[in-house]
Amino acid sequence: MNNLLEFFSFTNPTVRTVVLGTVLIAVCSSIVGTYTYLRKRSLVGDVVAHAIFPGICLGFVLSGSKNPIFLMLGAIAAGWIALVLMDAIVAKTKLKTDTAQAFILTFFFGLGTVFLAYIQKSGSAAQTGLHDFLLGKAANITQFDLAVFGVISLLLILLVLTYYKVFKLISFNEDYAASLGYNVKFYRFLLTTMTVVAVAVGIQAVGVVLMSALLITPAATARLWTHKLQHLMLIAGIFGALSGIFGAYVSYAAVNMPTGPWFVVFLTFFALLSIFIAPKNGILSKLKQKRINANKINRENVLKTFYNLMEHGAEQINTQLILEKRSFVPRVLEATLHKLKHQGLVQRKGNIYSLTEEGMVEAKRVVRLHRLWELYLTKRMNYKEDHIHGLAESMEHIITPEIEKDLLKELDYPTQDPHQSKIPY
Amino acid sequence: MISLEAHNLTVAYDKVPVLWDIDFELPTGKIIGIIGPNGSGKTTLLKTIMGLIKPASGYVKVFEQDLDEVRQRVAYVPQRESVDWDFPASVQDVVEMGRYRKNSLFRRLTQTDKEIVANAIEKVKLTAFKDRQISQLSGGQQQRVFIARALAQGADIFFMDEPFVGVDATTETAILDLLTTMRDEGKTVVIVHHDLQTVSGYFDHLVLLNTRVIACGPTAEVLTQENLSNAYGGQLTLLSKIQSIIKEKEFPIREKGFEKR
């Protein structure tokens, strides 16, 4: 508990460095990753993340230190070599993209692991902690790292904002961009380089193994919340930042815990949460829509039954009469009647129910739609009369006023349905 | 006046020549159809004209100039299926892309741009849908979005790849009306089309294609029984044999020094 307070009060300068560093890294990867995601290059991100591992080891061997600048240079070089090799494999051999990706990813990662084993055996004191690049250790972020990552992250974010329009165009429709005269190859190169750099920056906090999650998951999660690209980038950044703060906390509170896996746990938590509660696309809102539909169907069916009973001369309508005419679950019927009364469509005197004026209008509308659709099915779609009732039974709840207007026009304002019942207006 | 000239154009796709030494010229101010059977190179021709595929030999001139010189006057409507319509963008967003210019990265859309965009959306009858997310549109509406984007470019010549595929009757009529208006304004529209039945109703001028140009001219002159059976009547077996040898041995289609001739 003390830990929690100390961490989230941000009074400790080490905590501030770690949190700021992680958040910057996370926001930057999430925003750059938005384009990786939109261009369907998710797996390329994974390849790059794994491929930079030997680069980091080499950077360490050549410079003899864990200075982030050397490690990053090694990482970026390795990432690029991997991508160039991958493209060459696809272009020059019969192998397909997925095969080339699997091949390059495993080869480079294997190479990195060999390098790491060699470095660890050499026994140099500086190498301790190099294996933290595998799964990430946000707590290791120093003031100097922060300065380096900060500058690079801000630069990347600035690039995305500068080229926002072009990146949008290229991600949506490369051929069209080329037809406008844009140098598509250059922008593709720029986007790929930005991805490589974002990955190289991120590995300190997340590690090479899980880095691609930080590129892809925030954007994929944000996609559930919005249809707008600006908002997508913003929301992805927020999810990334939140996961970053929690990841940094774990790294701070539990000394031997790697950050990357926790990062991914939090990201996935947000993703799952979004699958449930996101507007329109979320499971909850779909359930809600289902309930709204069911209620509408019940209400309209009850109103229609009133109309049918009255059409056959019934005057004193009670629940029993309704149930004889049409099967409802009695409890549902009670609830629906209650709701209709509340809405002023039905009135009640003792056990006798009747339609109000408004209720009558609504009941007529439902019956009218049913009969119009039956007529449409027989006249325009050549259905036999004994088939149409069931189809119209569901359509009456779906047809909108606009479609009703078209329907009336197309059928030339008919007065009788195929069963010779009057169509009420 | 000539709107488009293709000279000795040879294009290979995955090393197989799809267009073999073709030559033709197109007039200005007409609705022109590029027709031919499946795999006859129609889309490849359009992409080559737009500079998306590099030809193995020959060249294309638009309004008697290289494409790069006249880009502002040329608009391209790719096949609808060539993009992912789940992309987070609205109708307005996509049509605005027609006003993007490569040399003005930071320029915001001006009031004039916005009027042009609104006008283009109106012309394809999508004003009521302008804020709609593009994934929620029908196939026909999506096609109209692409056409509106090209209209927003304010071009003089339009290249459209199969705009009538998978569209509803409303869209078909809307597109045809629009094409007529465009022609009356002096614009040239070149359309890749595969449905022979509708050809005579749609186009003033035709290029009948099957790896080579079989006929090119006013619709009535091109649509003869002889031309059609030449284009559609079975593959040329000898030609496809040679094509497979070229693919297998990776022979060059043109020897050095003959690229531009």
Side-chain angles (χ1 to χ4, degrees), chain A residues 38 40 162-163 165-166 168-169 171-173 175-176 178-182 223 227 229, chain B residues 50 52 71 76 83-84 86 88-89 97-98 100-102 105-107 133 146 149 153:
Chain A
L38 288 175
K40 310 198 189 305
T162 311
Y163 288 105
K165 266 170 37 177
V166 191
K168 174 161 105 178
L169 179 64
S171 305
F172 176 57
N173 197 347
D175 276 358
Y176 183 73
S179 85
L180 289 179
Y182 284 95
R223 188 66 185 88
H227 289 316
L229 184 53
Chain B
M50 291 314 302
L52 304 173
R71 261 193 213 281
Y76 174 51
V83 306
D84 177 10
D86 214 15
M97 290 176 185
Y100 288 11
R101 293 290 174 267
K102 61 169 175 165
L105 216 52
F106 308 101
R107 196 180 64 110
Q133 148 74 9
F146 261 9
R149 182 175 68 173
Q153 283 179 251

mmCIF file of all heavy atoms in Angstrom, chain A residues 38 40 162-163 165-166 168-169 171-173 175-176 178-182 223 227 229, chain B residues 50 52 71 76 83-84 86 88-89 97-98 100-102 105-107 133 146 149 153:
data_model
loop_
_atom_site.group_PDB
_atom_site.id
_atom_site.type_symbol
_atom_site.label_atom_id
_atom_site.label_comp_id
_atom_site.label_asym_id
_atom_site.label_seq_id
_atom_site.Cartn_x
_atom_site.Cartn_y
_atom_site.Cartn_z
ATOM 1 N N LEU A 38 -3.164 -0.188 -39.428
ATOM 2 C CA LEU A 38 -4.043 0.148 -40.550
ATOM 3 C C LEU A 38 -3.505 -0.375 -41.876
ATOM 4 O O LEU A 38 -4.258 -0.700 -42.777
ATOM 5 C CB LEU A 38 -4.233 1.663 -40.646
ATOM 6 C CG LEU A 38 -5.100 2.275 -39.559
ATOM 7 C CD1 LEU A 38 -5.120 3.788 -39.682
ATOM 8 C CD2 LEU A 38 -6.517 1.718 -39.631
ATOM 9 N N LYS A 40 -2.045 -3.103 -42.198
ATOM 10 C CA LYS A 40 -2.048 -4.563 -42.055
ATOM 11 C C LYS A 40 -0.633 -5.130 -42.026
ATOM 12 O O LYS A 40 -0.329 -6.131 -42.663
ATOM 13 C CB LYS A 40 -2.852 -5.206 -43.190
ATOM 14 C CG LYS A 40 -4.214 -4.559 -43.362
ATOM 15 C CD LYS A 40 -5.138 -5.433 -44.136
ATOM 16 C CE LYS A 40 -6.398 -4.683 -44.492
ATOM 17 N NZ LYS A 40 -7.077 -4.096 -43.342
ATOM 18 N N THR A 162 2.953 15.758 -38.705
ATOM 19 C CA THR A 162 3.311 16.496 -39.920
ATOM 20 C C THR A 162 2.768 15.814 -41.168
ATOM 21 O O THR A 162 2.188 16.444 -42.031
ATOM 22 C CB THR A 162 4.839 16.587 -40.052
ATOM 23 O OG1 THR A 162 5.360 17.031 -38.814
ATOM 24 C CG2 THR A 162 5.226 17.546 -41.158
ATOM 25 N N TYR A 163 2.988 14.517 -41.249
ATOM 26 C CA TYR A 163 2.629 13.783 -42.456
ATOM 27 C C TYR A 163 1.263 13.122 -42.335
ATOM 28 O O TYR A 163 0.944 12.208 -43.090
ATOM 29 C CB TYR A 163 3.682 12.720 -42.765
ATOM 30 C CG TYR A 163 4.976 13.300 -43.269
ATOM 31 C CD1 TYR A 163 6.096 13.359 -42.454
ATOM 32 C CD2 TYR A 163 5.065 13.794 -44.562
ATOM 33 C CE1 TYR A 163 7.288 13.897 -42.919
ATOM 34 C CE2 TYR A 163 6.246 14.335 -45.026
ATOM 35 C CZ TYR A 163 7.351 14.388 -44.210
ATOM 36 O OH TYR A 163 8.512 14.916 -44.675
ATOM 37 N N LYS A 165 -1.810 13.720 -43.187
ATOM 38 C CA LYS A 165 -2.654 13.564 -44.370
ATOM 39 C C LYS A 165 -2.102 12.513 -45.331
ATOM 40 O O LYS A 165 -2.831 11.665 -45.836
ATOM 41 C CB LYS A 165 -2.774 14.912 -45.097
ATOM 42 C CG LYS A 165 -4.000 15.665 -44.662
ATOM 43 C CD LYS A 165 -4.051 17.112 -45.151
ATOM 44 C CE LYS A 165 -3.513 17.375 -46.526
ATOM 45 N NZ LYS A 165 -3.665 18.787 -46.921
ATOM 46 N N VAL A 166 -0.805 12.589 -45.569
ATOM 47 C CA VAL A 166 -0.191 11.666 -46.526
ATOM 48 C C VAL A 166 -0.256 10.233 -45.994
ATOM 49 O O VAL A 166 -0.575 9.299 -46.732
ATOM 50 C CB VAL A 166 1.272 12.046 -46.793
ATOM 51 C CG1 VAL A 166 1.798 11.254 -47.970
ATOM 52 C CG2 VAL A 166 1.394 13.519 -47.056
ATOM 53 N N LYS A 168 -2.395 8.985 -43.978
ATOM 54 C CA LYS A 168 -3.779 8.531 -44.083
ATOM 55 C C LYS A 168 -4.060 8.058 -45.505
ATOM 56 O O LYS A 168 -4.589 6.968 -45.727
ATOM 57 C CB LYS A 168 -4.714 9.682 -43.685
ATOM 58 C CG LYS A 168 -6.183 9.398 -43.884
ATOM 59 C CD LYS A 168 -7.037 10.347 -43.076
ATOM 60 C CE LYS A 168 -7.680 11.387 -43.959
ATOM 61 N NZ LYS A 168 -8.565 12.302 -43.237
ATOM 62 N N LEU A 169 -3.680 8.900 -46.458
ATOM 63 C CA LEU A 169 -3.906 8.581 -47.873
ATOM 64 C C LEU A 169 -3.216 7.279 -48.266
ATOM 65 O O LEU A 169 -3.805 6.401 -48.883
ATOM 66 C CB LEU A 169 -3.377 9.747 -48.723
ATOM 67 C CG LEU A 169 -3.480 9.626 -50.232
ATOM 68 C CD1 LEU A 169 -4.923 9.569 -50.662
ATOM 69 C CD2 LEU A 169 -2.787 10.797 -50.900
ATOM 70 N N SER A 171 -2.112 4.845 -46.329
ATOM 71 C CA SER A 171 -2.606 3.672 -45.622
ATOM 72 C C SER A 171 -3.925 3.204 -46.214
ATOM 73 O O SER A 171 -4.219 2.013 -46.217
ATOM 74 C CB SER A 171 -2.816 3.984 -44.137
ATOM 75 O OG SER A 171 -1.644 4.492 -43.575
ATOM 76 N N PHE A 172 -4.733 4.137 -46.696
ATOM 77 C CA PHE A 172 -6.030 3.761 -47.250
ATOM 78 C C PHE A 172 -5.903 3.242 -48.672
ATOM 79 O O PHE A 172 -6.485 2.220 -49.021
ATOM 80 C CB PHE A 172 -6.981 4.963 -47.206
ATOM 81 C CG PHE A 172 -8.323 4.705 -47.834
ATOM 82 C CD1 PHE A 172 -9.117 3.662 -47.396
ATOM 83 C CD2 PHE A 172 -8.788 5.494 -48.869
ATOM 84 C CE1 PHE A 172 -10.355 3.417 -47.976
ATOM 85 C CE2 PHE A 172 -10.029 5.264 -49.452
ATOM 86 C CZ PHE A 172 -10.811 4.227 -49.004
ATOM 87 N N ASN A 173 -5.132 3.929 -49.512
ATOM 88 C CA ASN A 173 -5.158 3.620 -50.937
ATOM 89 C C ASN A 173 -3.853 4.043 -51.614
ATOM 90 O O ASN A 173 -3.743 5.149 -52.137
ATOM 91 C CB ASN A 173 -6.351 4.362 -51.551
ATOM 92 C CG ASN A 173 -6.735 3.822 -52.904
ATOM 93 O OD1 ASN A 173 -5.998 3.072 -53.512
ATOM 94 N ND2 ASN A 173 -7.896 4.208 -53.373
ATOM 95 N N ASP A 175 -2.334 3.041 -54.386
ATOM 96 C CA ASP A 175 -2.378 3.282 -55.827
ATOM 97 C C ASP A 175 -2.894 4.679 -56.138
ATOM 98 O O ASP A 175 -2.388 5.347 -57.035
ATOM 99 C CB ASP A 175 -3.290 2.251 -56.513
ATOM 100 C CG ASP A 175 -2.553 0.958 -56.809
ATOM 101 O OD1 ASP A 175 -1.337 0.906 -56.518
ATOM 102 O OD2 ASP A 175 -3.175 0.015 -57.314
ATOM 103 N N TYR A 176 -3.918 5.075 -55.394
ATOM 104 C CA TYR A 176 -4.488 6.395 -55.645
ATOM 105 C C TYR A 176 -3.467 7.484 -55.301
ATOM 106 O O TYR A 176 -3.313 8.450 -56.041
ATOM 107 C CB TYR A 176 -5.773 6.580 -54.842
ATOM 108 C CG TYR A 176 -6.453 7.894 -55.113
ATOM 109 C CD1 TYR A 176 -7.122 8.117 -56.308
ATOM 110 C CD2 TYR A 176 -6.419 8.928 -54.183
ATOM 111 C CE1 TYR A 176 -7.741 9.324 -56.577
ATOM 112 C CE2 TYR A 176 -7.033 10.136 -54.438
ATOM 113 C CZ TYR A 176 -7.694 10.333 -55.636
ATOM 114 O OH TYR A 176 -8.298 11.531 -55.889
ATOM 115 N N ALA A 178 -0.300 7.226 -55.465
ATOM 116 C CA ALA A 178 0.683 7.250 -56.551
ATOM 117 C C ALA A 178 0.114 7.984 -57.757
ATOM 118 O O ALA A 178 0.820 8.725 -58.443
ATOM 119 C CB ALA A 178 1.067 5.824 -56.927
ATOM 120 N N SER A 179 -1.183 7.815 -58.015
ATOM 121 C CA SER A 179 -1.776 8.473 -59.177
ATOM 122 C C SER A 179 -1.813 9.984 -58.995
ATOM 123 O O SER A 179 -1.865 10.725 -59.965
ATOM 124 C CB SER A 179 -3.190 7.928 -59.446
ATOM 125 O OG SER A 179 -4.147 8.613 -58.666
ATOM 126 N N LEU A 180 -1.797 10.458 -57.734
ATOM 127 C CA LEU A 180 -1.734 11.900 -57.490
ATOM 128 C C LEU A 180 -0.303 12.417 -57.596
ATOM 129 O O LEU A 180 -0.061 13.609 -57.463
ATOM 130 C CB LEU A 180 -2.278 12.235 -56.091
ATOM 131 C CG LEU A 180 -3.778 12.093 -55.848
ATOM 132 C CD1 LEU A 180 -4.112 12.438 -54.406
ATOM 133 C CD2 LEU A 180 -4.574 12.984 -56.787
ATOM 134 N N GLY A 181 0.645 11.501 -57.775
ATOM 135 C CA GLY A 181 2.030 11.905 -57.938
ATOM 136 C C GLY A 181 2.856 11.812 -56.664
ATOM 137 O O GLY A 181 4.018 12.197 -56.646
ATOM 138 N N TYR A 182 2.260 11.330 -55.572
ATOM 139 C CA TYR A 182 3.034 11.171 -54.335
ATOM 140 C C TYR A 182 4.105 10.105 -54.524
ATOM 141 O O TYR A 182 3.868 9.093 -55.194
ATOM 142 C CB TYR A 182 2.133 10.760 -53.171
ATOM 143 C CG TYR A 182 1.303 11.883 -52.632
ATOM 144 C CD1 TYR A 182 0.000 12.077 -53.077
ATOM 145 C CD2 TYR A 182 1.815 12.757 -51.680
ATOM 146 C CE1 TYR A 182 -0.770 13.120 -52.594
ATOM 147 C CE2 TYR A 182 1.056 13.799 -51.191
ATOM 148 C CZ TYR A 182 -0.236 13.986 -51.642
ATOM 149 O OH TYR A 182 -0.982 15.009 -51.166
ATOM 150 N N ARG A 223 -9.880 1.008 -32.204
ATOM 151 C CA ARG A 223 -10.752 0.871 -33.380
ATOM 152 C C ARG A 223 -12.178 0.518 -32.973
ATOM 153 O O ARG A 223 -13.136 0.844 -33.674
ATOM 154 C CB ARG A 223 -10.184 -0.204 -34.324
ATOM 155 C CG ARG A 223 -10.895 -0.306 -35.663
ATOM 156 C CD ARG A 223 -10.690 0.934 -36.490
ATOM 157 N NE ARG A 223 -11.460 0.935 -37.734
ATOM 158 C CZ ARG A 223 -12.695 1.382 -37.840
ATOM 159 N NH1 ARG A 223 -13.310 1.858 -36.781
ATOM 160 N NH2 ARG A 223 -13.333 1.361 -38.997
ATOM 161 N N HIS A 227 -14.637 5.693 -35.349
ATOM 162 C CA HIS A 227 -14.514 5.544 -36.799
ATOM 163 C C HIS A 227 -13.625 6.636 -37.369
ATOM 164 O O HIS A 227 -13.519 6.778 -38.580
ATOM 165 C CB HIS A 227 -15.884 5.667 -37.456
ATOM 166 C CG HIS A 227 -16.774 4.499 -37.201
ATOM 167 N ND1 HIS A 227 -16.331 3.200 -37.284
ATOM 168 C CD2 HIS A 227 -18.074 4.425 -36.864
ATOM 169 C CE1 HIS A 227 -17.335 2.389 -37.013
ATOM 170 N NE2 HIS A 227 -18.401 3.116 -36.750
ATOM 171 N N LEU A 229 -9.975 8.661 -37.729
ATOM 172 C CA LEU A 229 -8.551 8.377 -37.595
ATOM 173 C C LEU A 229 -7.899 9.222 -36.490
ATOM 174 O O LEU A 229 -7.097 8.699 -35.711
ATOM 175 C CB LEU A 229 -7.857 8.586 -38.942
ATOM 176 C CG LEU A 229 -6.379 8.247 -38.982
ATOM 177 C CD1 LEU A 229 -6.133 6.834 -38.476
ATOM 178 C CD2 LEU A 229 -5.849 8.378 -40.393
ATOM 179 N N MET B 50 -1.600 4.954 -65.645
ATOM 180 C CA MET B 50 -1.484 5.756 -64.436
ATOM 181 C C MET B 50 -0.078 5.726 -63.839
ATOM 182 O O MET B 50 0.160 6.286 -62.772
ATOM 183 C CB MET B 50 -2.475 5.273 -63.372
ATOM 184 C CG MET B 50 -3.942 5.530 -63.671
ATOM 185 S SD MET B 50 -4.335 7.184 -64.273
ATOM 186 C CE MET B 50 -3.720 8.208 -62.957
ATOM 187 N N LEU B 52 1.457 3.199 -62.502
ATOM 188 C CA LEU B 52 1.578 2.312 -61.337
ATOM 189 C C LEU B 52 2.379 1.069 -61.689
ATOM 190 O O LEU B 52 2.925 0.406 -60.820
ATOM 191 C CB LEU B 52 0.193 1.905 -60.828
ATOM 192 C CG LEU B 52 -0.733 3.075 -60.478
ATOM 193 C CD1 LEU B 52 -2.133 2.585 -60.139
ATOM 194 C CD2 LEU B 52 -0.153 3.874 -59.327
ATOM 195 N N ARG B 71 -0.370 15.622 -64.505
ATOM 196 C CA ARG B 71 -1.066 14.930 -63.428
ATOM 197 C C ARG B 71 -2.308 15.657 -62.918
ATOM 198 O O ARG B 71 -3.299 15.045 -62.563
ATOM 199 C CB ARG B 71 -0.116 14.689 -62.263
ATOM 200 C CG ARG B 71 0.427 13.293 -62.291
ATOM 201 C CD ARG B 71 1.101 12.928 -61.012
ATOM 202 N NE ARG B 71 2.195 12.028 -61.284
ATOM 203 C CZ ARG B 71 2.044 10.728 -61.520
ATOM 204 N NH1 ARG B 71 0.839 10.202 -61.496
ATOM 205 N NH2 ARG B 71 3.080 9.970 -61.770
ATOM 206 N N TYR B 76 -7.925 9.194 -61.320
ATOM 207 C CA TYR B 76 -7.944 7.731 -61.359
ATOM 208 C C TYR B 76 -8.975 7.204 -60.378
ATOM 209 O O TYR B 76 -9.030 7.636 -59.225
ATOM 210 C CB TYR B 76 -6.538 7.231 -61.007
ATOM 211 C CG TYR B 76 -6.374 5.738 -60.851
ATOM 212 C CD1 TYR B 76 -6.830 4.855 -61.832
ATOM 213 C CD2 TYR B 76 -5.726 5.210 -59.740
ATOM 214 C CE1 TYR B 76 -6.655 3.489 -61.693
ATOM 215 C CE2 TYR B 76 -5.532 3.847 -59.595
ATOM 216 C CZ TYR B 76 -6.002 2.986 -60.568
ATOM 217 O OH TYR B 76 -5.826 1.641 -60.428
ATOM 218 N N VAL B 83 -9.346 -1.602 -51.997
ATOM 219 C CA VAL B 83 -9.047 -1.034 -50.677
ATOM 220 C C VAL B 83 -9.887 -1.708 -49.605
ATOM 221 O O VAL B 83 -10.876 -2.377 -49.893
ATOM 222 C CB VAL B 83 -9.307 0.491 -50.622
ATOM 223 C CG1 VAL B 83 -8.564 1.212 -51.704
ATOM 224 C CG2 VAL B 83 -10.793 0.787 -50.697
ATOM 225 N N ASP B 84 -9.465 -1.508 -48.345
ATOM 226 C CA ASP B 84 -10.212 -2.036 -47.208
ATOM 227 C C ASP B 84 -11.201 -0.965 -46.756
ATOM 228 O O ASP B 84 -10.803 0.068 -46.225
ATOM 229 C CB ASP B 84 -9.230 -2.371 -46.078
ATOM 230 C CG ASP B 84 -9.956 -2.852 -44.830
ATOM 231 O OD1 ASP B 84 -11.174 -3.091 -44.915
ATOM 232 O OD2 ASP B 84 -9.301 -2.981 -43.784
ATOM 233 N N ASP B 86 -13.089 -0.898 -44.365
ATOM 234 C CA ASP B 86 -13.204 -0.792 -42.917
ATOM 235 C C ASP B 86 -12.271 0.284 -42.360
ATOM 236 O O ASP B 86 -12.222 0.522 -41.163
ATOM 237 C CB ASP B 86 -12.875 -2.155 -42.284
ATOM 238 C CG ASP B 86 -13.699 -2.391 -41.046
ATOM 239 O OD1 ASP B 86 -14.689 -1.654 -40.853
ATOM 240 O OD2 ASP B 86 -13.362 -3.289 -40.274
ATOM 241 N N PRO B 88 -10.848 3.625 -40.980
ATOM 242 C CA PRO B 88 -11.581 4.645 -40.230
ATOM 243 C C PRO B 88 -11.636 5.980 -40.950
ATOM 244 O O PRO B 88 -10.761 6.817 -40.765
ATOM 245 C CB PRO B 88 -10.790 4.753 -38.913
ATOM 246 C CG PRO B 88 -9.424 4.289 -39.249
ATOM 247 C CD PRO B 88 -9.571 3.267 -40.330
ATOM 248 N N ALA B 89 -12.649 6.175 -41.785
ATOM 249 C CA ALA B 89 -12.796 7.436 -42.516
ATOM 250 C C ALA B 89 -14.260 7.606 -42.900
ATOM 251 O O ALA B 89 -14.994 6.620 -43.021
ATOM 252 C CB ALA B 89 -11.928 7.428 -43.773
ATOM 253 N N MET B 97 -9.606 13.618 -50.132
ATOM 254 C CA MET B 97 -8.313 13.164 -50.658
ATOM 255 C C MET B 97 -8.118 13.626 -52.102
ATOM 256 O O MET B 97 -6.993 13.778 -52.576
ATOM 257 C CB MET B 97 -8.214 11.639 -50.584
ATOM 258 C CG MET B 97 -8.099 11.114 -49.170
ATOM 259 S SD MET B 97 -8.095 9.311 -49.111
ATOM 260 C CE MET B 97 -8.095 9.058 -47.330
ATOM 261 N N GLY B 98 -9.215 13.841 -52.808
ATOM 262 C CA GLY B 98 -9.126 14.334 -54.180
ATOM 263 C C GLY B 98 -8.541 15.735 -54.264
ATOM 264 O O GLY B 98 -8.131 16.179 -55.334
ATOM 265 N N TYR B 100 -5.973 16.666 -52.202
ATOM 266 C CA TYR B 100 -4.581 16.613 -51.726
ATOM 267 C C TYR B 100 -3.640 16.899 -52.891
ATOM 268 O O TYR B 100 -3.839 16.404 -53.988
ATOM 269 C CB TYR B 100 -4.233 15.223 -51.162
ATOM 270 C CG TYR B 100 -4.852 14.882 -49.837
ATOM 271 C CD1 TYR B 100 -5.859 15.663 -49.278
ATOM 272 C CD2 TYR B 100 -4.426 13.760 -49.131
ATOM 273 C CE1 TYR B 100 -6.430 15.327 -48.071
ATOM 274 C CE2 TYR B 100 -5.002 13.418 -47.915
ATOM 275 C CZ TYR B 100 -6.001 14.197 -47.388
ATOM 276 O OH TYR B 100 -6.575 13.862 -46.198
ATOM 277 N N ARG B 101 -2.614 17.700 -52.610
ATOM 278 C CA ARG B 101 -1.606 17.955 -53.629
ATOM 279 C C ARG B 101 -0.251 17.635 -53.037
ATOM 280 O O ARG B 101 0.058 18.017 -51.914
ATOM 281 C CB ARG B 101 -1.644 19.427 -54.059
ATOM 282 C CG ARG B 101 -2.920 19.808 -54.795
ATOM 283 C CD ARG B 101 -2.977 19.153 -56.185
ATOM 284 N NE ARG B 101 -4.253 19.395 -56.840
ATOM 285 C CZ ARG B 101 -5.301 18.568 -56.765
ATOM 286 N NH1 ARG B 101 -5.216 17.453 -56.063
ATOM 287 N NH2 ARG B 101 -6.416 18.839 -57.396
ATOM 288 N N LYS B 102 0.584 16.973 -53.844
ATOM 289 C CA LYS B 102 1.825 16.453 -53.262
ATOM 290 C C LYS B 102 2.773 17.555 -52.810
ATOM 291 O O LYS B 102 3.605 17.356 -51.944
ATOM 292 C CB LYS B 102 2.534 15.516 -54.238
ATOM 293 C CG LYS B 102 2.934 16.199 -55.520
ATOM 294 C CD LYS B 102 3.865 15.308 -56.313
ATOM 295 C CE LYS B 102 4.165 15.948 -57.641
ATOM 296 N NZ LYS B 102 5.283 15.374 -58.332
ATOM 297 N N LEU B 105 2.134 19.893 -48.476
ATOM 298 C CA LEU B 105 1.977 18.969 -47.370
ATOM 299 C C LEU B 105 1.194 19.580 -46.215
ATOM 300 O O LEU B 105 0.351 18.957 -45.606
ATOM 301 C CB LEU B 105 3.379 18.595 -46.889
ATOM 302 C CG LEU B 105 3.600 17.192 -46.411
ATOM 303 C CD1 LEU B 105 3.110 16.212 -47.444
ATOM 304 C CD2 LEU B 105 5.069 16.988 -46.135
ATOM 305 N N PHE B 106 1.501 20.829 -45.914
ATOM 306 C CA PHE B 106 0.962 21.429 -44.693
ATOM 307 C C PHE B 106 -0.280 22.268 -44.957
ATOM 308 O O PHE B 106 -0.896 22.768 -44.055
ATOM 309 C CB PHE B 106 2.030 22.308 -44.022
ATOM 310 C CG PHE B 106 3.316 21.573 -43.828
ATOM 311 C CD1 PHE B 106 4.377 21.775 -44.680
ATOM 312 C CD2 PHE B 106 3.434 20.651 -42.792
ATOM 313 C CE1 PHE B 106 5.556 21.067 -44.511
ATOM 314 C CE2 PHE B 106 4.607 19.948 -42.623
ATOM 315 C CZ PHE B 106 5.679 20.157 -43.477
ATOM 316 N N ARG B 107 -0.595 22.425 -46.240
ATOM 317 C CA ARG B 107 -1.719 23.278 -46.577
ATOM 318 C C ARG B 107 -3.014 22.670 -46.055
ATOM 319 O O ARG B 107 -3.283 21.492 -46.235
ATOM 320 C CB ARG B 107 -1.792 23.444 -48.090
ATOM 321 C CG ARG B 107 -2.660 24.599 -48.549
ATOM 322 C CD ARG B 107 -2.634 24.648 -50.066
ATOM 323 N NE ARG B 107 -3.245 23.436 -50.597
ATOM 324 C CZ ARG B 107 -4.427 23.424 -51.229
ATOM 325 N NH1 ARG B 107 -5.084 24.526 -51.395
ATOM 326 N NH2 ARG B 107 -4.915 22.294 -51.689
ATOM 327 N N GLN B 133 -19.621 6.676 -41.939
ATOM 328 C CA GLN B 133 -18.400 5.865 -41.978
ATOM 329 C C GLN B 133 -18.437 4.986 -43.228
ATOM 330 O O GLN B 133 -19.477 4.384 -43.525
ATOM 331 C CB GLN B 133 -18.357 5.057 -40.682
ATOM 332 C CG GLN B 133 -17.716 3.695 -40.753
ATOM 333 C CD GLN B 133 -16.227 3.808 -40.847
ATOM 334 O OE1 GLN B 133 -15.676 4.879 -40.702
ATOM 335 N NE2 GLN B 133 -15.577 2.700 -41.109
ATOM 336 N N PHE B 146 -15.762 6.828 -54.536
ATOM 337 C CA PHE B 146 -14.532 6.840 -55.333
ATOM 338 C C PHE B 146 -14.660 7.798 -56.511
ATOM 339 O O PHE B 146 -13.723 8.514 -56.863
ATOM 340 C CB PHE B 146 -14.231 5.424 -55.842
ATOM 341 C CG PHE B 146 -13.205 4.709 -54.999
ATOM 342 C CD1 PHE B 146 -12.782 5.247 -53.795
ATOM 343 C CD2 PHE B 146 -12.640 3.513 -55.418
ATOM 344 C CE1 PHE B 146 -11.829 4.603 -53.015
ATOM 345 C CE2 PHE B 146 -11.682 2.864 -54.655
ATOM 346 C CZ PHE B 146 -11.278 3.406 -53.458
ATOM 347 N N ARG B 149 -14.449 11.353 -55.339
ATOM 348 C CA ARG B 149 -13.065 11.727 -55.038
ATOM 349 C C ARG B 149 -12.336 12.147 -56.315
ATOM 350 O O ARG B 149 -11.610 13.145 -56.333
ATOM 351 C CB ARG B 149 -12.350 10.533 -54.393
ATOM 352 C CG ARG B 149 -10.927 10.819 -53.995
ATOM 353 C CD ARG B 149 -10.303 9.664 -53.251
ATOM 354 N NE ARG B 149 -10.116 8.499 -54.115
ATOM 355 C CZ ARG B 149 -9.467 7.398 -53.732
ATOM 356 N NH1 ARG B 149 -8.980 7.309 -52.516
ATOM 357 N NH2 ARG B 149 -9.342 6.383 -54.554
ATOM 358 N N GLN B 153 -10.952 16.204 -57.947
ATOM 359 C CA GLN B 153 -9.645 16.576 -58.482
ATOM 360 C C GLN B 153 -9.751 17.640 -59.576
ATOM 361 O O GLN B 153 -8.767 18.286 -59.896
ATOM 362 C CB GLN B 153 -8.946 15.339 -59.068
ATOM 363 C CG GLN B 153 -8.362 14.425 -58.019
ATOM 364 C CD GLN B 153 -7.708 13.220 -58.654
ATOM 365 O OE1 GLN B 153 -8.206 12.115 -58.563
ATOM 366 N NE2 GLN B 153 -6.571 13.436 -59.327
#
